[in-house]
Amino acid sequence: MGNHKLFGTIEGGGTKFLCAVADGQNTILREIRIPTTLPQPTLAACADFFSRAQGDLGPLSALGIACFGPLDPRIGAPTYGQILATPKAGWENANLVGFFQPRLGEELPIGFDTDVNGAVLAEFLWGAGQGLANLVYLTIGTGIGGGALVNGSLLHGYAHPEMGHMLLPLHPSDQNFRGVCPFHGTCLEGLANGPAIEERWQIKADRLPPDHPAWALEAHYLALGLMNICLVLAPDRIILGGGVMNQSFLFPMIRSEFVNLLGNYLSLPQIADVENYIVPSGLANISGLYGGLALARRASGDPH
């Protein structure tokens, strides 16, 4: 029955909004890339895309929005559907759900969450986390963010997790680095995102050779963050995505440092099998777009 449904998906990023319409078999039927400018023109272009698509393809069963944050994903909260205090100029208090609902239909189910929460749900349904109800997905790129699935449900408290902003000790060789996070300086994001690598070494990460000392330091900081996540949330698997992780040689370095840092504290079989515990995304560069699709399907009541 679900194969005849149509789902809209949005991956909302700081530089672009990707919009697509997929069928019940997850086949992308139509998509568009819209530059992220100010909320009104960006969201209006998205709404126009979906309005045209519905005219050509048929009505949507649901829309899923997987977006940069911080945002409020708590249904019923006063600021539900809105982006909160983001450093992205002009986007603070932008109401995404409130924008699309009247334009695409007040009855249209809309799933709304962070890009990383959407991604962890997509990895659970179709990617590297299939069959595991407790997962963490971490993206390491321009920023660092994490989404968590706990017993099959996306983790929310007063808001969504902000794993990129955990504070870390500086490595002895890195004592003079102040970090690039404007809020916390030397948090995980401030020490290990793409801009931190470039600031520290004065060269973009993707231009650094594999034997550059930058990567041992990067693996150390990422392993520190993963150790904290492992001990706090006890996920069955940790999935890493984002542009920095396109350097596939980083994975064995991170795993080795993770094992060293953890010591013998947890002698559990799933952690001992570290190659299957810390893994790359199973959806590669489409995890964000499929994150929106996963949110749409869940909002519609479709479990797959």
Side-chain angles (χ1 to χ4, degrees):
M1 184 176 79
N3 290 350
H4 301 293
K5 293 181 178 179
L6 296 176
F7 301 96
T9 172
I10 297 174
E11 177 189 0
T15 59
K16 64 184 181 299
F17 270 55
L18 297 178
C19 303
V21 175
D23 64 15
Q25 295 174 310
N26 297 339
T27 301
I28 301 294
L29 305 177
R30 183 175 297 188
E31 62 183 304
I32 191 172
R33 175 181 176 141
I34 296 165
T36 305
T37 56
L38 291 173
Q40 177 65 32
T42 304
L43 301 180
C46 296
D48 182 63
F49 166 79
F50 288 114
S51 295
R52 291 173 182 270
Q54 287 192 112
D56 295 341
L57 303 172
L60 296 178
S61 295
L63 173 67
I65 306 170
C67 189
F68 69 88
L71 52 78
D72 192 342
R74 302 167 301 153
I75 295 172
T79 52
Y80 167 68
Q82 298 182 28
I83 293 177
L84 304 176
T86 177
K88 183 67 177 173
W91 283 81
E92 186 170 344
N93 301 322
N95 189 339
L96 275 68
V97 172
F99 187 93
F100 289 109
Q101 202 90 64
R103 289 165 175 82
L104 299 180
E106 293 289 351
E107 302 303 315
L108 181 69
I110 296 181
F112 178 72
D113 216 314
T114 61
D115 46 3
V116 283
N117 258 353
V120 76
L121 186 58
E123 295 284 354
F124 167 67
L125 292 173
W126 311 301
Q130 294 179 71
L132 301 174
N134 296 285
L135 295 170
V136 165
Y137 175 92
L138 206 67
T139 184
I140 298 99
T142 305
I144 293 180
L149 197 72
V150 178
N151 295 328
S153 297
L154 291 172
L155 179 61
H156 299 133
Y158 66 86
H160 51 80
E162 286 283 5
M163 299 183 199
H165 293 278
M166 70 177 78
L167 295 176
L168 300 180
L170 284 167
H171 189 274
S173 70
D174 201 34
Q175 290 295 313
N176 294 324
F177 188 62
R178 299 175 62 85
V180 299
C181 174
F183 298 99
H184 312 116
T186 57
C187 60
L188 175 58
E189 179 172 291
L191 290 171
N193 66 359
I197 298 172
E198 183 176 355
E199 175 72 19
R200 191 184 282 112
W201 303 102
Q202 295 300 299
I203 186 170
K204 288 190 177 294
D206 59 6
R207 294 176 56 197
L208 290 168
D211 60 352
H212 194 282
W215 297 119
L217 190 61
E218 179 72 4
H220 171 75
Y221 283 133
L222 291 177
L224 273 176
L226 297 192
M227 176 180 170
N228 289 337
I229 290 167
C230 165
L231 295 175
V232 171
L233 292 176
D236 297 316
R237 182 167 292 160
I238 299 174
I239 302 167
L240 303 181
V244 171
M245 297 312 303
N246 288 334
Q247 281 68 225
S248 58
F249 59 82
L250 257 180
F251 279 93
M253 298 173 72
I254 293 167
R255 292 174 184 132
S256 176
E257 185 69 359
F258 173 82
V259 170
N260 289 338
L261 289 169
L262 198 57
N264 294 316
Y265 186 67
L266 291 177
S267 300
L268 300 174
Q270 61 266 46
I271 295 176
D273 184 15
V274 70
E275 289 189 8
N276 287 310
Y277 188 68
I278 299 170
V279 303
S281 166
L283 298 172
N285 296 324
I286 60 170
S287 61
L289 197 64
Y290 274 72
L293 180 56
L295 294 172
R297 298 190 74 133
R298 185 158 284 198
S300 76
D302 188 320
H304 307 294

